[in-house]
Amino acid sequence: MSHAEGGTTHATEPDRLRDEALQAIASARDLDELDEVRTRHLGKRSGLAALQRTLGQLDPDERRKRGQAINAARTALAEAEAARRAQLEAQRDQVQLAAEAIDVTLPPRTPARGRLHPVHETMEAMLDVLTGLGYRVAEGPEVETDWHNFDALNTPPDHPARSLQDTIYVHRLDGSTQLAEDGPTGVLLRTQTSPMRIRAMQSSQPPLYVAVPGRVYRSDTPDATHLPMFHQIEGLAVDTDLSFADLKGSLEVAAKALLGEDVALRFRPHFFPFTEPSCELDAFYAGRWMELLGAGMVHPNVLAAGGYDPDRYQGFAWGMGVDRMAMLRHDIADLRLFIENDLRFLQSL
Ligand code: DAH
């Protein structure tokens, strides 16, 4: 009797465990939960496994029946688990697909487009004008000898421009005792693009029409109108029949091409060691006269230093500041903005 009662209780136990597990499988909300359910209800420490371990204590008839019930429960659970798993996997894939979906109708993020720096762009505009007038473009070294930068340009050793205040020296040539007039005694950062005049004359025969863009250096403290590094374009024309009238005409054409036909210009007498006579050219811009460039007829000593016969050839030359021209063109009050590389400034031009 007690045996039969016990048998009845035991016979329903696998079904009870199965129903409990089926319930848990059905309510697993994701694959992680389903894994837990499987361990708890189908694993080694599940109720079914415990029940299975007690089979040995039963008599053969009971053992067979209960064994079958346990197996049936296991099979049912395995099927239910597999079905729920398939369901949950499909659900997960769908969520993932939705999350990864690409909306092809969204406007694209446009990458920021680069542009030429305003100083560089002004330089190119100037060179465009000059090449249009027949000049070729040549570049020279930024680290120059004192001879090319000064002596060959008729600037004697005691000239104020040679003092440490204005010039950034790199070094003196080792053991040199010679006078600068005879050849290089030191190396410096060129203070002007003018030394390239000498190199251009040395490397080609007249007629010569050359424009030299580039960086120049002075030991200046940066302020609104000075930078220790700035840009110049040098122009040099050497031919057999050039006069000051040619210089004026060429510079007037170039300045108007850059600043507009209506711009007011004025030539002022000036002094430069490497030109005689010399002048400066101003433009009336934004309510005031602004100095654009220095110019003049090439000094005979300079022609000779370049290897040209001063009795046969004349030339005119000029050097203009590119940065200040860029200031004029963009109506900017402070040169330092050009070297800060603040994108908000650069993009506003
Ligand atoms: N090199 C001069 C400067 O930096 C500018 C200059 C003046 C250049 C007269 C010239 C010139 O070629 O003839 O201030």
XYZ file of all heavy atoms in Angstrom, residues 265-320:
452
model
N 47.715 104.674 -56.389
C 49.088 104.257 -56.100
C 49.982 105.490 -56.011
O 49.707 106.507 -56.654
C 49.602 103.344 -57.225
C 48.836 102.047 -57.448
C 49.307 101.386 -58.745
C 49.020 101.094 -56.274
N 51.060 105.376 -55.225
C 52.025 106.485 -55.236
C 53.442 105.935 -55.049
O 53.667 105.038 -54.217
C 51.657 107.530 -54.187
C 52.279 107.334 -52.856
C 51.893 108.426 -51.873
N 52.220 107.916 -50.532
C 51.802 108.466 -49.403
N 51.039 109.530 -49.425
N 52.150 107.945 -48.241
N 54.341 106.456 -55.859
C 55.754 106.105 -55.725
C 56.414 107.177 -54.867
O 56.193 108.361 -55.072
C 56.417 106.062 -57.102
C 56.005 104.848 -57.904
C 54.877 104.882 -58.727
C 56.750 103.678 -57.836
C 54.498 103.770 -59.456
C 56.371 102.562 -58.572
C 55.251 102.601 -59.374
N 57.186 106.722 -53.869
C 57.911 107.639 -52.976
C 59.390 107.362 -53.092
O 59.786 106.192 -53.120
C 57.506 107.333 -51.528
C 56.529 108.261 -50.904
C 56.295 107.916 -49.438
N 55.951 106.514 -49.208
C 56.764 105.613 -48.692
N 57.999 105.933 -48.357
N 56.362 104.384 -48.525
N 60.230 108.402 -53.131
C 61.675 108.148 -53.152
C 62.105 107.436 -51.867
O 61.517 107.678 -50.802
C 62.304 109.538 -53.221
C 61.199 110.503 -53.416
C 59.899 109.825 -53.118
N 63.090 106.592 -51.966
C 63.539 105.855 -50.782
C 64.996 105.469 -50.969
O 65.595 105.769 -52.003
C 62.674 104.603 -50.595
C 62.698 104.068 -49.191
N 62.041 104.681 -48.155
C 63.308 102.984 -48.660
C 62.238 103.996 -47.034
N 63.017 102.955 -47.331
N 65.559 104.787 -49.982
C 66.930 104.304 -50.148
C 67.014 102.808 -49.896
O 66.463 102.291 -48.916
C 67.891 105.010 -49.182
C 69.247 104.373 -49.178
C 70.181 104.689 -50.172
C 69.597 103.416 -48.224
C 71.419 104.061 -50.199
C 70.840 102.794 -48.250
C 71.755 103.122 -49.248
N 67.644 102.093 -50.815
C 68.065 100.711 -50.568
C 69.498 100.590 -51.077
O 69.831 101.216 -52.087
C 67.178 99.709 -51.322
C 65.761 99.674 -50.826
C 64.743 100.284 -51.549
C 65.436 99.032 -49.645
C 63.428 100.269 -51.095
C 64.120 99.008 -49.181
C 63.117 99.625 -49.903
N 70.329 99.837 -50.395
C 71.729 99.740 -50.849
C 71.857 99.101 -52.234
O 72.799 99.402 -52.963
C 72.399 98.847 -49.791
C 71.416 98.639 -48.698
C 70.071 99.053 -49.188
N 70.895 98.212 -52.555
C 71.065 97.420 -53.785
C 70.404 98.015 -55.008
O 70.477 97.451 -56.096
C 70.578 95.981 -53.569
C 69.503 95.855 -52.514
C 68.176 96.100 -52.816
C 69.843 95.515 -51.206
C 67.194 95.994 -51.835
C 68.868 95.419 -50.217
C 67.539 95.657 -50.526
N 69.712 99.153 -54.828
C 69.114 99.814 -55.986
C 69.421 101.304 -55.947
O 69.555 101.899 -54.880
C 67.585 99.604 -56.029
O 67.053 99.723 -54.718
C 67.222 98.242 -56.592
N 69.541 101.910 -57.129
C 69.812 103.348 -57.221
C 69.344 103.855 -58.575
O 69.868 103.390 -59.582
C 71.313 103.615 -57.022
C 71.689 105.070 -57.041
C 71.003 105.899 -55.946
O 70.793 105.364 -54.842
O 70.644 107.049 -56.219
N 68.342 104.715 -58.655
C 67.544 105.216 -57.539
C 66.594 104.154 -56.999
O 66.305 103.181 -57.673
C 66.776 106.371 -58.175
C 66.636 105.998 -59.613
C 67.902 105.248 -59.956
N 66.108 104.444 -55.798
C 65.168 103.519 -55.160
C 63.871 104.237 -54.821
O 63.837 105.462 -54.740
C 65.757 102.962 -53.859
O 66.987 102.329 -54.077
N 62.834 103.447 -54.624
C 61.543 104.036 -54.259
C 60.739 103.026 -53.464
O 61.109 101.857 -53.363
C 60.764 104.432 -55.520
S 60.333 103.018 -56.549
N 59.655 103.529 -52.905
C 58.666 102.616 -52.334
C 57.345 102.885 -53.021
O 57.091 103.999 -53.484
C 58.543 102.792 -50.820
C 59.692 102.120 -50.077
C 59.513 102.058 -48.561
O 58.826 102.930 -47.985
O 60.069 101.134 -47.962
N 56.516 101.842 -53.104
C 55.211 101.991 -53.724
C 54.143 101.801 -52.647
O 54.170 100.816 -51.899
C 55.021 100.940 -54.830
C 53.625 100.890 -55.487
C 53.280 102.207 -56.158
C 53.553 99.749 -56.500
N 53.239 102.777 -52.548
C 52.141 102.694 -51.585
C 50.821 102.550 -52.334
O 50.691 103.013 -53.465
C 52.053 103.973 -50.743
C 53.321 104.254 -49.952
O 54.063 103.290 -49.687
O 53.559 105.436 -49.623
N 49.862 101.935 -51.679
C 48.502 101.864 -52.229
C 47.565 102.488 -51.212
O 47.745 102.328 -49.998
C 48.108 100.418 -52.479
N 46.572 103.225 -51.710
C 45.566 103.791 -50.801
C 44.490 102.746 -50.616
O 43.824 102.323 -51.553
C 44.968 105.082 -51.390
C 44.207 105.868 -50.368
C 44.874 106.625 -49.411
C 42.818 105.859 -50.357
C 44.178 107.360 -48.458
C 42.115 106.588 -49.403
C 42.802 107.339 -48.449
N 44.367 102.288 -49.394
C 43.488 101.152 -49.160
C 42.819 101.314 -47.814
O 43.473 101.665 -46.840
C 44.319 99.860 -49.186
C 43.563 98.688 -49.744
C 43.474 98.500 -51.119
C 42.915 97.792 -48.914
C 42.777 97.437 -51.652
C 42.213 96.725 -49.434
C 42.146 96.563 -50.802
O 41.453 95.506 -51.328
N 41.549 101.059 -47.749
C 40.778 101.130 -46.512
C 41.079 102.432 -45.767
O 41.324 102.443 -44.560
C 41.080 99.915 -45.626
N 41.107 103.539 -46.505
C 41.221 104.839 -45.877
C 42.617 105.312 -45.545
O 42.794 106.346 -44.915
N 43.654 104.526 -45.917
C 45.006 105.024 -45.617
C 46.010 104.487 -46.627
O 45.747 103.519 -47.342
C 45.416 104.634 -44.203
C 45.489 103.137 -44.025
C 45.360 102.742 -42.559
N 45.005 101.330 -42.506
C 45.789 100.392 -41.976
N 46.929 100.703 -41.442
N 45.407 99.139 -41.987
N 47.162 105.142 -46.645
C 48.239 104.705 -47.531
C 48.995 103.548 -46.887
O 49.405 103.639 -45.744
C 49.213 105.848 -47.824
C 48.627 106.878 -48.740
C 48.106 108.079 -48.369
C 48.489 106.785 -50.160
N 47.647 108.751 -49.481
C 47.872 107.976 -50.590
C 48.824 105.818 -51.113
C 47.581 108.225 -51.934
C 48.538 106.065 -52.446
C 47.912 107.265 -52.854
N 49.144 102.471 -47.635
C 49.861 101.295 -47.120
C 51.061 101.020 -48.021
O 50.955 101.051 -49.244
C 48.958 100.057 -47.173
C 47.810 100.064 -46.190
S 48.309 99.515 -44.553
C 48.799 97.825 -44.872
N 52.194 100.744 -47.365
C 53.401 100.460 -48.126
C 53.305 99.050 -48.721
O 53.051 98.080 -48.010
C 54.587 100.559 -47.172
C 55.902 100.201 -47.782
C 56.943 99.957 -46.689
O 56.933 100.681 -45.680
O 57.730 99.007 -46.852
N 53.497 98.947 -50.046
C 53.391 97.643 -50.700
C 54.744 96.997 -50.941
O 54.911 95.796 -50.783
C 52.691 97.777 -52.059
C 51.209 98.060 -52.105
C 50.732 97.995 -53.541
C 50.455 97.049 -51.255
N 55.687 97.809 -51.379
C 56.964 97.215 -51.779
C 58.070 98.253 -51.864
O 57.823 99.460 -51.889
C 56.817 96.499 -53.134
C 56.235 97.289 -54.320
C 57.311 98.116 -55.021
C 55.620 96.313 -55.320
N 59.304 97.727 -51.891
C 60.470 98.552 -52.171
C 60.972 98.171 -53.551
O 60.850 97.018 -53.964
N 61.546 99.146 -54.256
C 61.965 98.866 -55.627
C 63.069 99.824 -56.047
O 63.423 100.758 -55.310
C 60.780 98.987 -56.578
N 63.595 99.594 -57.218
C 64.595 100.523 -57.741
C 65.332 99.944 -58.931
O 65.073 98.806 -59.347
N 66.253 100.762 -59.469
C 67.096 100.294 -60.571
C 68.293 99.576 -59.948
O 68.949 100.112 -59.040
C 67.576 101.489 -61.412
C 66.440 102.297 -62.047
S 65.306 101.307 -63.067
C 66.340 100.874 -64.461
N 68.576 98.394 -60.430
C 69.613 97.561 -59.813
C 70.962 98.299 -59.813
O 71.405 98.828 -60.844
C 69.754 96.217 -60.564
C 70.814 95.342 -59.904
C 68.415 95.490 -60.581
N 71.591 98.354 -58.636
C 72.880 99.034 -58.474
C 73.950 98.328 -59.319
O 73.973 97.088 -59.351
C 73.283 99.006 -56.998
C 74.368 99.968 -56.662
N 75.684 99.773 -57.036
C 74.346 101.157 -55.985
C 76.417 100.783 -56.600
N 75.621 101.636 -55.967
N 74.814 99.109 -60.007
C 75.858 98.485 -60.849
C 76.700 97.459 -60.079
O 77.074 96.422 -60.644
C 76.716 99.670 -61.292
C 75.825 100.859 -61.188
C 74.825 100.562 -60.093
N 76.966 97.717 -58.793
C 77.752 96.757 -57.998
C 77.049 95.410 -57.883
O 77.687 94.365 -57.796
C 77.976 97.288 -56.580
C 78.918 98.470 -56.560
O 79.521 98.783 -57.594
N 79.033 99.129 -55.412
N 75.717 95.462 -57.835
C 74.937 94.228 -57.696
C 74.955 93.452 -59.011
O 75.126 92.228 -59.026
C 73.494 94.544 -57.245
C 72.631 93.282 -57.227
C 73.506 95.204 -55.869
N 74.825 94.188 -60.123
C 74.923 93.519 -61.427
C 76.290 92.842 -61.565
O 76.388 91.685 -61.991
C 74.736 94.541 -62.568
C 73.308 95.082 -62.766
C 73.318 96.239 -63.763
C 72.371 93.968 -63.257
N 77.323 93.555 -61.133
C 78.680 93.009 -61.228
C 78.829 91.779 -60.326
O 79.426 90.774 -60.726
C 79.704 94.067 -60.853
N 78.249 91.839 -59.097
C 78.345 90.689 -58.186
C 77.649 89.470 -58.781
O 78.020 88.329 -58.509
C 77.732 91.023 -56.828
N 76.634 89.700 -59.613
C 75.935 88.589 -60.260
C 76.631 88.127 -61.534
O 76.176 87.191 -62.179
N 77.711 88.829 -61.907
C 78.465 88.417 -63.081
C 77.998 89.081 -64.377
O 78.368 88.658 -65.467
N 77.173 90.136 -64.239
C 76.707 90.843 -65.438
C 77.531 92.127 -65.625
O 77.937 92.753 -64.640
C 75.228 91.228 -65.298
C 74.252 90.073 -65.437
C 74.675 88.759 -65.542
C 72.878 90.337 -65.461
C 73.761 87.721 -65.662
C 71.954 89.299 -65.585
C 72.395 87.995 -65.681
O 71.488 86.992 -65.796
N 77.704 92.534 -66.872
C 78.448 93.751 -67.182
C 77.533 94.969 -66.975
O 76.595 95.173 -67.749
C 78.936 93.677 -68.636
C 79.696 94.939 -69.045
O 79.778 95.892 -68.225
O 80.191 94.973 -70.182
N 77.806 95.801 -65.928
C 76.908 96.922 -65.619
C 76.902 97.984 -66.723
O 75.995 98.811 -66.786
C 77.475 97.509 -64.325
C 78.679 96.730 -63.973
C 78.962 95.716 -65.027
N 77.911 97.977 -67.603
C 77.916 98.961 -68.687
C 76.992 98.541 -69.826
O 76.578 99.356 -70.642
C 79.342 99.148 -69.230
C 80.227 99.826 -68.187
O 79.670 100.612 -67.385
O 81.433 99.527 -68.143
N 76.681 97.256 -69.865
C 75.849 96.760 -70.966
C 74.398 96.561 -70.548
O 73.489 96.677 -71.352
C 76.410 95.402 -71.413
C 76.690 95.386 -72.903
C 77.124 94.038 -73.366
N 76.134 93.484 -74.278
C 76.109 92.226 -74.652
N 77.010 91.376 -74.155
N 75.211 91.808 -75.492
N 74.201 96.206 -69.271
C 72.843 95.834 -68.839
C 72.321 96.763 -67.765
O 73.085 97.281 -66.941
C 72.841 94.401 -68.298
C 73.217 93.379 -69.352
C 74.472 92.795 -69.348
C 72.309 93.035 -70.355
C 74.822 91.874 -70.326
C 72.653 92.128 -71.332
C 73.911 91.539 -71.323
O 74.249 90.655 -72.287
N 71.021 96.980 -67.808
C 70.345 97.660 -66.699
C 69.268 96.712 -66.182
O 68.836 95.810 -66.893
C 69.645 98.954 -67.123
C 70.491 99.913 -67.924
C 70.431 99.574 -69.398
O 69.360 99.384 -69.932
N 71.610 99.474 -70.023
N 68.861 96.981 -64.964
C 67.781 96.157 -64.439
C 66.961 96.935 -63.432
O 67.405 97.956 -62.905
N 65.769 96.469 -63.210
C 65.019 96.986 -62.072
C 64.576 95.803 -61.222
O 64.541 94.654 -61.690
C 63.842 97.871 -62.501
C 62.775 97.185 -63.319
C 61.787 96.425 -62.717
C 62.754 97.348 -64.705
C 60.793 95.822 -63.474
C 61.762 96.744 -65.472
C 60.775 95.971 -64.859
N 64.285 96.100 -59.965
C 63.961 95.024 -59.029
C 63.020 95.557 -57.972
O 62.932 96.762 -57.755
C 65.229 94.491 -58.378
N 62.304 94.646 -57.369
C 61.449 95.053 -56.247
C 61.271 93.869 -55.298
O 61.507 92.718 -55.653
C 60.086 95.525 -56.741
C 59.190 94.414 -57.185
C 58.308 93.724 -56.422
C 59.119 93.840 -58.487
N 57.684 92.766 -57.161
C 58.160 92.813 -58.444
C 59.781 94.103 -59.695
C 57.854 92.031 -59.547
C 59.462 93.327 -60.790
C 58.503 92.311 -60.724
N 60.866 94.187 -54.092
C 60.538 93.144 -53.123
C 59.272 93.544 -52.416
O 59.171 94.647 -51.888
N 58.276 92.664 -52.464
C 57.030 93.031 -51.789
C 56.651 92.035 -50.709
O 56.943 90.857 -50.793
C 55.890 93.228 -52.780
C 55.581 92.077 -53.685
S 54.314 92.666 -54.864
C 54.486 91.511 -56.193
